[in-house]
């Protein structure tokens, strides 16, 4: 099975690949000799299934062509030196025996350190190797296309390769999903899973516990177009993301307690459903019955669970949600169970490919956006405006993708309407604002399912 295999190693004719060649030259200029290997990890676009991976539910992303690429050389010291082709990302060096990850400042190198430390911890490496690394990224940062997880995955793959140890793609994805938590965000495993398990030409249904990826054949008559709202959102720099994770966790516990279950050991809405043994529609009815739409104060939650505030803080809430005063449990749980059902419906339409497949998939994407906007409240006015413009410009479905609160939309556009669509979105969203216009070239593009992470070695010269 492909997922039991390690990430592939390919031979690349570096001298014929402009990006690799440039990276190699910059590496030599920086470190004085040539890299011994390269590694790449792609970003992703999530087609449907937002904010449900950390609740245990399946999601449906595909890898994009944009990636993080590293050129690497192992050295005989215990120092890892990091530099970036983008001069705004400053050089950094660290002793492999003393890795500290600053949760208060999500600087670029901290994501690399997550992957580095994740692999070291996984193997309990007693004397990890030092290395010189030069990184180059083409995924727009803070745009919901998973640039940060791609960096964590690339660092994990680099560390694995440099230390001569192996893991399967699935183990690597799980390790990288866990170690991204070192930066303080409580993400699920979608981004790391698709970065390792992606295959060119196919989107994937990613399921968890156990992690597995199944091909999803997208309809041939449409393309997926990514459009950046140009509102940056870094999920480690704010508490929005973790508040949602906590709200889902609290909803799980409050419902479980109301049903006389062992609520202390339940963290995910998906595990709650499995324990109750009911379907997603029935879960929506349970939410309706048990939870109320008014926000819950911390005091009310403590009362429901029979605990005090100290216990709530110490045993349930993350570091950056300790002082949140109210939590919306009903709306978040409604979104999660509804969205989980939409993912399965989307996969079914792709499998069965009925004549109106594009319309059905578009409807599901639109419902997903409305749910993200109204129930999960992870959109923003610019994303909502961009979704509206995309729909008016000919998309059959359009929604925010990734964590939200900024970043990108993904739209499904009939192939026959693609050129008109691009022109119309340019006119209505990008040309109306100078800052957006400046970013336009890298902000609006059609994409197709790309390949997963891999190690590249320089091909021998003939
Ligand atoms: C981020 C997280 C993912 C997922 C999405 C929202 O990208 O890293 O695990 O939760 O947000 O769907």
């Amino acid at each position: 099975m492909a997922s039991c295999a390690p990430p592939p190693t390919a031979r690349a004719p570096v001298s014929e690949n402009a990006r690799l060649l440039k990276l190699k030259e910059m590496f030599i200029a920086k470190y004085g000799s040539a890299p011994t290997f390269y590694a790449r990890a792609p970003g992703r676009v999530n087609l449907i299934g937002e904010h449900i991976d950390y609740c245990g539910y399946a999601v449906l992303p595909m890898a994009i062509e944009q990636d993080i690429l590293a050129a690497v050389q192992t050295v005989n010291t215990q120092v890892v030196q990091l530099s970036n082709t983008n001069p705004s990302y400053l050089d950094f060096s660290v002793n492999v025996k003393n890795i500290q990850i600053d949760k208060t400042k999500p600087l670029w190198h901290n994501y690399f350190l997550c992957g580095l430390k994740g692999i070291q911890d996984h193997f309990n490496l007693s004397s990890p190797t030092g290395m010189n690394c030069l990184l180059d990224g083409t995924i727009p940062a803070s745009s919901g296309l998973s640039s940060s997880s791609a960096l964590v995955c690339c660092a994990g793959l680099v560390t694995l390769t440099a230390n001569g140890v192996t893991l399967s793609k699935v183990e690597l994805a799980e390790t990288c999903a866990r170690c991204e938590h070192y930066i303080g965000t409580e993400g699920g495993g979608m981004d790391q899973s698709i970065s390792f398990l992606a295959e060119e030409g196919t989107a994937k249904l990613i399921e968890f516990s156990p992690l597995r990826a199944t091909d999803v054949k997208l309809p041939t008559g449409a393309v997926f177009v990514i459009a950046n709202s140009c509102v940056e959102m870094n999920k480690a720099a704010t508490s929005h993301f973790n508040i949602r994770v906590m709200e889902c966790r609290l909803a799980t516990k409050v419902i479980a307690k109301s049903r006389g279950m062992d609520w202390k050991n339940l963290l995910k809405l998906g595990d709650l459903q499995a324990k109750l043994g009911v379907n997603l529609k029935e879960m929506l009815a349970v939410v309706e019955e048990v939870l109320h739409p008014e926000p819950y104060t911390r005091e009310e939650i403590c009362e429901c669970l029979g605990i005090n505030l100290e216990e709530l803080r110490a045993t349930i809430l993350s570091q950056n949600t300790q002082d949140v005063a109210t939590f919306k449990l009903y709306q978040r749980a409604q979104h999660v169970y509804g969205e989980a059902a939409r993912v399965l419906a989307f996969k079914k339409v792709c499998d069965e490919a009925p004549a109106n497949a594009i319309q059905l998939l578009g409807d599901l994407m639109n419902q997903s956006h409305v749910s993200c906007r109204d129930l999960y409240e992870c959109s923003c006015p610019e994303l909502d405006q961009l979704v509206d413009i995309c729909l008016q410009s000919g998309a059959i479905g359009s929604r925010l993708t990734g964590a939200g609160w900024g970043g990108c939309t993904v739209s499904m556009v009939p192939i026959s309407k693609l050129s008109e669509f691009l022109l119309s979105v340019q006119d209505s969203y990008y040309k109306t604002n100078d800052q957006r216009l400046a970013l336009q070239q890298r902000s609006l593009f059609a994409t197709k399912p790309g390949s997963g992470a891999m190690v590249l070695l320089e091909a021998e010269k003939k």
Side-chain angles (χ1 to χ4, degrees):
M1 219 168 83
S3 52
C4 295
T9 300
R11 292 266 166 196
V14 172
S15 54
E16 290 160 30
N17 177 316
R19 183 166 172 225
L20 280 173
L21 186 61
K22 190 164 168 226
L23 194 64
K24 180 179 174 181
E25 283 165 358
M26 285 178 81
F27 189 98
I28 295 172
K30 176 95 196 162
Y31 297 113
S33 52
T36 42
F37 71 92
Y38 303 83
R40 78 171 285 268
R44 58 102 189 93
V45 59
N46 189 22
L47 300 180
I48 196 156
E50 223 57 86
H51 286 280
I52 59 171
D53 57 348
Y54 51 78
C55 298
Y57 286 109
V59 291
L60 212 155
M62 65 191 199
I64 54 175
E65 180 198 326
Q66 289 81 348
D67 63 9
I68 304 283
L69 176 66
V72 187
Q73 176 186 58
T74 52
V75 293
N76 291 328
T77 66
Q78 292 195 320
V79 176
V80 170
Q81 297 217 54
L82 301 177
S83 55
N84 200 302
T85 56
N86 180 338
S88 52
Y89 297 131
L90 303 181
D91 286 5
F92 185 80
S93 73
V94 66
N95 188 300
V96 283
K97 296 255 176 155
N98 183 26
I99 299 174
Q100 311 282 344
I101 299 168
D102 185 351
K103 290 187 179 178
T104 59
K105 286 191 213 99
L107 296 173
W108 80 279
H109 62 255
N110 282 318
Y111 292 97
F112 192 97
L113 298 186
C114 286
L116 180 68
K117 186 166 158 49
I119 295 296
Q120 286 186 12
D121 289 355
H122 181 89
F123 286 96
N124 211 355
L125 295 177
S126 55
S127 63
T129 182
M131 29 182 188
N132 292 333
C133 306
L134 175 61
L135 281 295
D136 181 59
T138 51
I139 313 165
S142 303
S143 68
L145 300 178
S146 193
S147 59
S148 43
S149 299
L151 181 51
V152 175
C153 292
C154 187
L157 186 54
V158 161
T159 310
L160 191 81
T161 311
N163 285 284
V165 283
T166 44
L167 281 179
S168 70
K169 294 186 210 178
V170 163
E171 290 165 323
L172 255 171
E174 287 176 336
T175 306
C176 289
R178 256 193 319 272
C179 69
E180 196 167 325
H181 288 198
Y182 295 158
I183 200 116
T185 42
E186 308 260 344
M190 163 168 67
D191 309 345
Q192 302 81 1
S193 304
I194 192 66
S195 195
F196 284 111
L197 300 174
E199 286 174 300
E200 200 169 339
T202 178
K204 295 275 184 181
L205 180 79
I206 305 276
E207 295 168 277
F208 302 96
S209 311
L211 175 59
R212 57 215 185 273
T214 312
D215 288 1
V216 177
K217 202 175 169 318
L218 298 172
T220 47
V223 279
F224 289 89
V225 180
I226 292 173
N228 195 339
S229 69
C230 303
V231 175
E232 285 202 2
M233 151 62 184
N234 180 321
K235 64 183 179 300
T238 68
S239 53
H240 299 316
F241 189 88
N242 280 3
I243 291 175
R244 293 297 176 276
V245 181
M246 296 307 130
E247 288 174 320
C248 292
R249 187 178 288 177
L250 290 169
T252 305
K253 290 181 183 293
V254 169
I255 297 174
K257 176 89 193 308
S258 81
R259 295 285 150 129
M261 297 161 77
D262 173 17
W263 63 270
K264 288 201 171 160
N265 289 317
L266 276 177
L267 288 174
K268 297 178 181 173
L269 287 166
D271 294 341
L272 174 70
Q273 185 201 348
K275 281 259 158 29
L276 285 172
V278 300
N279 65 28
L280 286 166
K281 207 165 156 209
E282 288 164 327
M283 272 323 297
L284 285 168
V286 171
V287 172
E288 204 65 54
E289 199 185 299
V290 179
L291 301 177
H292 57 68
E294 296 76 29
Y296 286 69
T297 61
R298 284 187 297 201
E299 291 68 28
E300 184 180 2
I301 287 169
C302 288
E303 206 182 303
C304 288
L305 298 179
I307 56 173
N308 61 36
L309 196 55
E310 281 64 50
E311 276 176 276
L312 177 72
R313 285 192 166 134
T315 62
I316 305 182
L317 299 181
S318 71
Q319 215 182 332
N320 65 348
T321 55
Q322 295 281 307
D323 297 320
V324 177
T326 58
F327 298 91
K328 291 192 180 173
L329 308 191
Y330 169 90
Q331 294 83 344
R332 311 314 183 216
Q334 287 276 337
H335 166 79
V336 169
Y337 291 125
E339 185 77 354
R342 280 186 287 275
V343 171
L344 301 179
F346 194 100
K347 163 85 166 40
K348 191 161 180 273
V349 173
C350 290
D351 288 347
E352 292 172 359
N356 58 345
I358 293 178
Q359 189 59 53
L360 295 174
L361 298 178
D363 291 346
L364 289 165
M365 291 175 74
N366 294 334
Q367 288 160 20
S368 169
H369 184 74
V370 169
S371 181
C372 283
R373 185 190 67 200
D374 298 344
L375 293 173
Y376 220 69
E377 295 177 279
C378 61
S379 188
C380 66
E382 293 84 352
L383 276 173
D384 293 339
Q385 184 200 2
L386 186 52
V387 159
D388 286 346
I389 288 175
C390 289
L391 291 173
Q392 282 155 21
S393 301
I396 307 293
S398 185
R399 54 182 297 278
L400 67 84
T401 185
W405 296 286
C408 292
T409 60
V410 58
S411 303
M412 193 178 56
V413 182
I415 290 181
S416 56
K417 291 199 182 152
L418 181 62
S419 338
E420 273 169 67
F421 171 85
L422 294 172
L423 286 175
S424 160
V425 177
Q426 268 161 18
D427 281 347
S428 314
Y429 192 77
Y430 294 97
K431 291 196 177 153
T432 52
N433 173 307
D434 287 345
Q435 182 230 344
R436 292 178 194 161
L437 191 60
L439 297 171
Q440 179 194 345
Q441 257 202 337
R442 292 180 69 190
S443 295
L444 180 65
F445 54 91
T447 186
K448 43 184 194 301
S451 55
M454 64 174 82
V455 174
L456 295 165
L457 299 174
E458 185 153 2
E460 315 261 320
K461 287 198 187 79
K462 288 191 190 126

